[in-house]
Amino acid sequence: MGTTTGRPRDPRIEQAALAAVRALLAEGGYAAVTVAAVAARAGTTKPALYRRWPALPHLVHEAAFPGELAAELHLGDDLATDLAGVVRGTRDALCDPVAAAALPGLLAEVQTWPDLHAAMIQRFAGVFRRLDERLRAAVEAGEAHRDARADDLLRLIIGAVISGVLLTPGQLDDAWVERLTATLVRSLRP
Amino acid sequence: MGTTTGRPRDPRIEQAALAAVRALLAEGGYAAVTVAAVAARAGTTKPALYRRWPALPHLVHEAAFPGELAAELHLGDDLATDLAGVVRGTRDALCDPVAAAALPGLLAEVQTWPDLHAAMIQRFAGVFRRLDERLRAAVEAGEAHRDARADDLLRLIIGAVISGVLLTPGQLDDAWVERLTATLVRSLRP
Amino acid sequence: MGTTTGRPRDPRIEQAALAAVRALLAEGGYAAVTVAAVAARAGTTKPALYRRWPALPHLVHEAAFPGELAAELHLGDDLATDLAGVVRGTRDALCDPVAAAALPGLLAEVQTWPDLHAAMIQRFAGVFRRLDERLRAAVEAGEAHRDARADDLLRLIIGAVISGVLLTPGQLDDAWVERLTATLVRSLRP
Amino acid sequence: MGTTTGRPRDPRIEQAALAAVRALLAEGGYAAVTVAAVAARAGTTKPALYRRWPALPHLVHEAAFPGELAAELHLGDDLATDLAGVVRGTRDALCDPVAAAALPGLLAEVQTWPDLHAAMIQRFAGVFRRLDERLRAAVEAGEAHRDARADDLLRLIIGAVISGVLLTPGQLDDAWVERLTATLVRSLRP
DNA sequence: CACTAATCGAGACGGTACGTCGCGTCTTGTG
DNA sequence: CACAAGACGCGACGTACCGTCTCGATTAGTG
């Protein structure tokens, strides 16, 4: 009940708000993403935004990380190639200008909005599942030692990218991807 | 000129302010650290704080990360033991309740206050220098392969800890330290 | 056409809404009379109210001043007694707790809703007509001077009551009624 | 203590705010007097206004009724002339476009802000005092009967003007002043 | 007996204005 | 000079209420 009652929401507002957030993030960074600014840019008002998202960080999160990070992830080659794909995909997702601008603010707001925490790590759920399967196969095939854990591995990749984005932006080039991949492959050797 | 003129600053205010920030961080997190709250708790006023720090994040930074992270770092045993010390030291520094409460907010404010960036990575300068030396020695001794780089290694450690603090707090126990250390040692093998 | 088609209005809603407004006025004053509150208290919804009244003030007006003020007015005794009746009736109508709570807000909304103006002064039309007749008779009978005008007289009474309600509530007791009546009688003497 | 500490208020803001309110009242009536609109027009911000007045009605009150209403009241001629002065002065004060626009809204807000009540009736304190004295003298001189009361008299005048402003604006011309004065004089005859 | 048309509930809609909080700065008078 | 005290200008926040709209389900009279 209740799901179909009431006036339906104007679907254009949601899209306009998400686009406005992305534009503001790209232009002025997280500090420029104000509720009033988003509303003005989206051609709507603040209450309309608060009806759709509990707070600004939720809207920013949805704008900067619209879906699963593993969307285009391809696994199935040899382990090194697959790991390079995960590293590169994570790097690309978090180093995207919009995402990079949003990330520090979002990570800070996690303290205030616990539900954001679940939403953010959920973005990695698909990657984790597929990486976990791949790693099991690698263990079976003798490509990786038996103590290897996908959660540790993914945390290592994500941590490297996040700390790179936050502290040393611009250094996460393709050479870095290769170096990190090589390091991970070495660490997995039986 | 002018350094000795006029009324000298009350040295107690600086300490009281830093202690107030730590208390507020521990009690209410980053959101509770308000300039007015710090001033009130420290028994002083806002202008006295702004005379000492350019802005609130700088004060929080100094309160949460008072000095070099490598202060008590001991290196000189075998590589695995030394790496475990670095991992554990980094983990202990960033998982401290006060530091953990301050970290996300500070990382977000880096966007606004660029000088904070330099100040934060400076905290790791000592660790990096000593780790760099230790790694060179390891390479010479045949304990590590020749492409090993201290910056990549440290970024890996810091990233793992930061992402752990931000995303999966409470999971960075001693077993995790051992697992990460083992992984790093493996990745460094020639 | 169309007047009898369609589902007929539920007559209970109108009464429930008026009663809800009166209850809210008595309990929380004009500020408590919210469309949503009225709808909830009346067991109905906002659109049902807006189908019956163009805006909230109109509903409040009808709830607080349901009909002619002269409903129970008796004229026909000597002039002093008749004037006392008018004064007392006006006082009773406007000093009623519900009416007194509604009056200031309604007077303010007159600026926004011009049709309210006509509706409000219409409440005095019957009084005016009968007072006008009575005054003419008094002039004929030599009880009042020839320049006496019913509109000035009624405006004087209404004004005294309104300013009393708005500015000095609680002072319009029976002694005040007698004093005002005596004053008016004196002012009408030939 | 405390009265002289802190940064002194910019006196221009207070004047600019009052002028802005008067301009907005004259142009768009009470509904146009928005805190944001006043702030914008005065070249300041909302918090600066809330620092000076507890709420918008207080600011409107001060803007529309800056001081004593009896400022220019001259008494001392014969009773009819003096009463005419009071009636005309009250009429002029409340029929001024700015005051007339503010009055209904202010009277309504009295319910919400009790302190406004005292402030508003205070505006009549000087008139009341001087009218009281004048009426006593009139009683002594045999110009007025012994039961005449200044409070009743003033309430009658104020009420007539207020109800005129609220309900029949535009009819309070000079002829009305003469008629009301004559009525009052008659009602005071011994 | 189907059709038409207005009402019902429920509740979200777009929008205006509100009053508050925190920032970093400034202006005093006192030591 | 620094101090306490506190107001300053400013930007942003999240909420309350307005009057409207959409929806599916009723509920009569009409054809």
Side-chain angles (χ1 to χ4, degrees), chain D residues 17-47:
Chain D
L18 294 170
V21 169
R22 283 188 283 263
L24 290 168
L25 279 172
E27 293 172 12
Y30 196 89
V33 185
T34 292
V35 184
V38 174
R41 186 133 189 172
T44 182
T45 57
K46 291 198 291 175

Side-chain angles (χ1 to χ4, degrees), chain D residues 84-97:
Chain D
V86 174
V87 171
R88 175 170 283 108
T90 306
R91 195 272 315 261
D92 290 346
L94 300 186
C95 286
D96 164 77

Side-chain angles (χ1 to χ4, degrees), chain C residues 101 117 152 155 167-168 179, chain D residues 111 117 152 155 167-168 179:
Chain C
H117 181 256
D152 280 354
R155 194 150 47 192
L167 299 177
T168 58
R179 293 204 308 277
Chain D
Q111 287 188 333
H117 180 257
D152 281 353
R155 191 150 46 193
L167 298 176
T168 58
R179 291 205 308 278

Side-chain angles (χ1 to χ4, degrees), chain D residues 15-189:
Chain D
Q15 296 309 315
L18 294 170
V21 169
R22 283 188 283 263
L24 290 168
L25 279 172
E27 293 172 12
Y30 196 89
V33 185
T34 292
V35 184
V38 174
R41 186 133 189 172
T44 182
T45 57
K46 291 198 291 175
L49 301 179
Y50 281 106
R51 257 178 241 122
R52 291 166 170 79
W53 294 277
L56 185 55
H58 301 78
L59 165 54
V60 175
H61 175 242
E62 189 169 334
F65 304 102
E68 276 279 350
L69 295 175
E72 307 174 359
L73 184 61
H74 167 75
L75 294 181
D77 302 320
D78 71 299
L79 188 56
T81 305
D82 286 351
L83 283 179
V86 174
V87 171
R88 175 170 283 108
T90 306
R91 195 272 315 261
D92 290 346
L94 300 186
C95 286
D96 164 77
V98 168
L103 192 59
L106 285 180
L107 290 173
E109 298 284 10
V110 162
Q111 287 188 333
T112 309
W113 302 95
D115 52 337
L116 258 185
H117 180 257
M120 294 191 70
I121 62 177
Q122 183 63 24
R123 297 298 193 227
F124 292 99
V127 182
F128 172 75
R129 188 168 17 82
R130 297 179 59 187
L131 185 62
D132 194 42
E133 293 172 5
R134 181 66 185 82
L135 200 54
R136 290 178 201 278
V139 169
E140 294 303 314
E143 291 176 308
H145 67 84
R146 302 223 145 253
D147 292 339
R149 290 173 53 165
D151 60 343
D152 281 353
L153 184 60
L154 188 55
R155 191 150 46 193
L156 215 50
I157 297 172
I158 295 174
V161 175
I162 287 184
S163 70
V165 171
L166 297 183
L167 298 176
T168 58
Q171 298 187 12
L172 306 189
D173 51 14
D174 288 345
W176 173 87
V177 170
E178 290 180 17
R179 291 205 308 278
L180 178 56
T181 304
T183 298
L184 296 176
V185 169
R186 261 194 219 99
S187 77
L188 289 173
R189 287 179 307 188

Side-chain angles (χ1 to χ4, degrees), chain C:
Chain C
M1 65 143 209
T3 52
T4 55
T5 342
R7 175 174 174 173
R9 288 185 179 168
D10 185 341
R12 292 168 303 183
I13 290 181
E14 182 147 5
Q15 297 309 315
L18 294 171
V21 170
R22 282 189 282 264
L24 290 167
L25 278 172
E27 293 172 11
Y30 196 89
V33 185
T34 291
V35 186
V38 174
R41 187 135 189 171
T44 182
T45 57
K46 295 203 292 175
L49 301 179
Y50 280 103
R51 253 174 244 123
R52 290 164 171 79
W53 293 275
L56 183 56
H58 301 77
L59 165 54
V60 175
H61 176 242
E62 188 170 335
F65 304 102
E68 275 278 351
L69 295 175
E72 308 174 359
L73 184 61
H74 168 75
L75 294 180
D77 303 319
D78 72 299
L79 188 56
T81 305
D82 286 350
L83 283 179
V86 174
V87 172
R88 176 169 286 109
T90 306
R91 194 271 316 259
D92 289 348
L94 301 186
C95 286
D96 164 75
V98 168
L103 191 59
L106 285 180
L107 290 173
E109 299 283 10
V110 162
Q111 290 188 331
T112 309
W113 302 94
D115 53 336
L116 258 185
H117 181 256
M120 293 190 73
I121 62 177
Q122 183 62 23
R123 296 296 192 232
F124 292 98
V127 183
F128 173 74
R129 187 168 18 83
R130 299 179 61 186
L131 186 62
D132 193 41
E133 293 171 7
R134 183 65 185 82
L135 201 53
R136 289 180 202 277
V139 169
E140 293 303 313
E143 291 175 308
H145 66 85
R146 301 220 144 257
D147 291 340
R149 290 172 52 165
D151 61 343
D152 280 354
L153 184 60
L154 188 54
R155 194 150 47 192
L156 215 50
I157 298 173
I158 295 173
V161 175
I162 286 184
S163 73
V165 171
L166 297 183
L167 299 177
T168 58
Q171 299 187 11
L172 305 189
D173 52 12
D174 288 344
W176 172 87
V177 171
E178 290 180 19
R179 293 204 308 277
L180 177 56
T181 304
T183 297
L184 296 176
V185 169
R186 262 194 219 98
S187 77
L188 290 173
R189 286 179 306 186

